[in-house]
Amino acid sequence: MLDIGSMTLPELEAQLVSLGQPKYRAKQIFRWLHVSGAVSFSEMTDLPLSLRGALSNNFVIFTCDIEKKYVSAYDNTVKYLYRLADGEWIESVVMQYKYGYSVCVSSQVGCRMGCKFCASTLDGVVRNLTASEILAQVYTAERDLGIRVSHVVMMGMGEPLDNYAQTLRFIRLITDPNGKNLSMRHISLSTCGIVPRIYDLMREDLQLTLSVSLHAPTDELRRSLMPVAKKWDLNALTEACRAYASGTSRRISFEYALIRGVNDTPECAVKLASLVGGMLCHVNLIPVNSVRETDCRESDPAVISRFSGILAGRGIPVTVRRRLGADINAACGQLRRKEKTSAGL
Ligand code: SAH
């Protein structure tokens, strides 16, 4: 059985031709999958019954079942725990902004990057998601909430650049003019800093926003928080970021989670400013979300504003991220972790 939701339109056309069907049927099916969010072939009512039968015999539509759903009492943020066809669980979050709805999607079941403050990585990686499973997170939320999603952030569980092929396929499919046609500029991809893949992405020359999880301004501190920093140091990472920004003319967004007493001192802010100074970039400060299994705690508001003031004073564009969904375990990997623990898994 072939994964039809991960196929590009030309791939689907080739499949239909090999089934002895007219090529134009592919576009109809593609619209059913990516515009209507169909979860079964029986919904595709403008296709002949015989074709629907042939499709069910040859292809599978990967969907997400809603295992749990939480709505924040503060800000309408919705967090889903989805169950995949093989029983694995992943998380997605839907956030409502003035400009529309944004979905934060997962790219892997678990994660193997090992960042010290992150709940997604506590049990390592189980497997990569297929492009269709990443898409299904968006389509399921749209269907469930009766909304149209306009923005996607790849900031859920997993490291998207550790699942490069499916991540790129997802991005190409969701922006396909024959499908959902999401604007490339409305996609953000966040990475912990897999340097060779940043150069690969640069060569794709996409107008998406690249977010880089920095979290520390020195190699020593970064290595203590993020094992990936042992492989690629800050010099190599910032060089890749500078190349990316000049190669694509897109501003890099640096993520910096402020952890009390760890990376939130004025000295860190000064070092951070000189590290990213002169680059086409923006720094996003995030008060760290405490995860039960780690001893990371968020910095005091006064410390956060001092840190951001130092950056701003040195001409670095900086914002402090608003916290959405704090009452529903909306941070990366927290919900799956909590549910697995309470289910005794
Ligand atoms: N693997 C990718 C994308 C997923 S994580 C990456 O590392 O960028 C999305 C963002 O959330 C990253 O910046 C990550 O470092 C951050 N993050 C993870 N756990 C967090 C926590 N407990 N509090 C705040 N931010 C966290």
Side-chain angles (χ1 to χ4, degrees):
M1 296 289 258
L2 296 172
D3 169 15
I4 195 167
S6 293
M7 287 178 190
T8 61
L9 184 55
E11 287 168 347
L12 192 52
E13 284 170 347
Q15 286 293 331
L16 279 149
V17 170
S18 76
L19 286 175
Q21 294 285 336
K23 203 169 129 182
Y24 73 86
R25 290 289 185 206
K27 213 175 243 180
Q28 267 178 294
I29 298 166
F30 197 80
R31 288 188 61 80
W32 273 113
L33 293 170
H34 301 288
V35 180
S36 313
V39 293
S40 68
F41 296 111
S42 58
E43 284 172 60
M44 303 182 181
T45 44
D46 56 357
L47 302 182
L49 266 177
S50 59
L51 174 55
R52 283 185 248 165
L55 292 174
S56 347
N57 290 336
N58 289 282
F59 302 103
V60 57
I61 304 178
F62 282 129
T63 56
C64 292
D65 287 332
I66 301 172
E67 178 78 25
K68 290 266 165 69
K69 173 184 174 183
Y70 298 90
V71 183
S72 169
Y74 304 150
D75 51 39
N76 288 329
T77 298
V78 181
K79 177 130 194 181
Y80 290 103
L81 183 69
Y82 288 133
R83 186 166 14 83
L84 303 174
D86 64 354
E88 291 296 342
W89 288 347
I90 53 166
E91 301 178 11
S92 295
V93 183
V94 181
M95 292 154 290
Q96 194 178 358
Y97 293 101
K98 281 193 214 77
Y99 54 72
Y101 288 95
S102 175
V103 181
C104 175
V105 295
S106 295
S107 54
Q108 295 178 314
V109 180
C111 185
R112 64 185 180 118
M113 295 298 131
C115 300
K116 291 288 182 300
F117 42 83
C118 181
S120 297
T121 199
L122 288 165
D123 295 326
V125 71
V126 177
R127 68 172 175 87
N128 283 332
L129 296 183
T130 62
S132 59
E133 288 171 323
I134 310 176
L135 284 163
Q137 298 169 56
V138 178
Y139 300 161
T140 306
E142 287 192 321
R143 214 176 157 103
D144 181 56
L145 298 171
I147 58 169
R148 292 321 264 172
V149 164
S150 58
H151 292 66
V152 169
V153 296
M154 302 197 77
M155 291 191 183
M157 294 169 53
E159 167 52 48
L161 297 188
D162 189 37
N163 182 15
Y164 190 83
Q166 294 302 314
T167 290
L168 260 288
R169 192 170 266 275
F170 160 75
I171 291 168
R172 304 246 184 240
L173 284 170
I174 202 163
T175 54
D176 192 313
N178 290 298
K180 182 161 172 60
N181 198 17
L182 198 90
S183 161
M184 191 63 87
R185 289 178 176 261
H186 291 181
I187 298 179
S188 294
L189 185 157
S190 183
T191 178
C192 63
I194 301 187
V195 167
R197 297 286 91 75
I198 293 177
Y199 286 105
D200 290 343
L201 191 64
M202 178 182 84
R203 284 186 278 270
E204 314 271 355
D205 198 20
L206 306 175
Q207 289 295 296
L208 52 74
T209 299
L210 179 65
S211 291
V212 174
S213 301
L214 209 48
H215 304 321
T218 64
D219 280 314
E220 195 190 357
L221 184 57
R222 195 161 187 269
R223 280 187 213 116
S224 73
L225 294 171
M226 304 174 72
V228 69
K230 294 177 191 152
K231 204 145 180 195
W232 295 286
D233 64 11
L234 281 170
N235 195 26
L237 179 58
T238 50
E239 205 175 306
C241 291
R242 282 177 205 278
Y244 189 94
S246 58
T248 61
S249 306
R250 297 288 291 161
R251 190 164 79 149
I252 304 260
S253 171
F254 287 110
E255 308 289 302
Y256 194 103
L258 287 161
I259 309 170
R260 183 187 301 191
V262 174
N263 63 357
D264 61 353
T265 60
E267 296 73 53
C268 282
V270 171
K271 284 183 185 150
L272 178 59
S274 57
L275 187 66
V276 303
M279 206 188 298
L280 183 60
C281 76
H282 173 265
V283 174
N284 204 353
L285 299 175
I286 312 154
V288 79
N289 277 290
S290 315
V291 173
R292 196 158 48 87
E293 291 82 353
T294 73
D295 45 14
C296 298
R297 298 291 167 261
E298 73 175 82
S299 308
D300 287 330
V303 170
I304 298 174
S305 62
R306 186 178 56 184
F307 197 99
S308 118
I310 292 172
L311 292 174
R314 282 166 170 69
I316 311 290
V318 57
T319 45
V320 179
R321 186 184 290 171
R322 244 179 351 126
R323 285 188 76 176
L324 295 176
D327 56 333
I328 53 167
N329 291 291
C332 216
Q334 285 187 350
L335 180 61
R336 172 171 174 268
R337 179 82 197 164
K338 181 173 151 257
E339 298 293 337
K340 277 184 76 172
T341 308
S342 65
L345 298 173

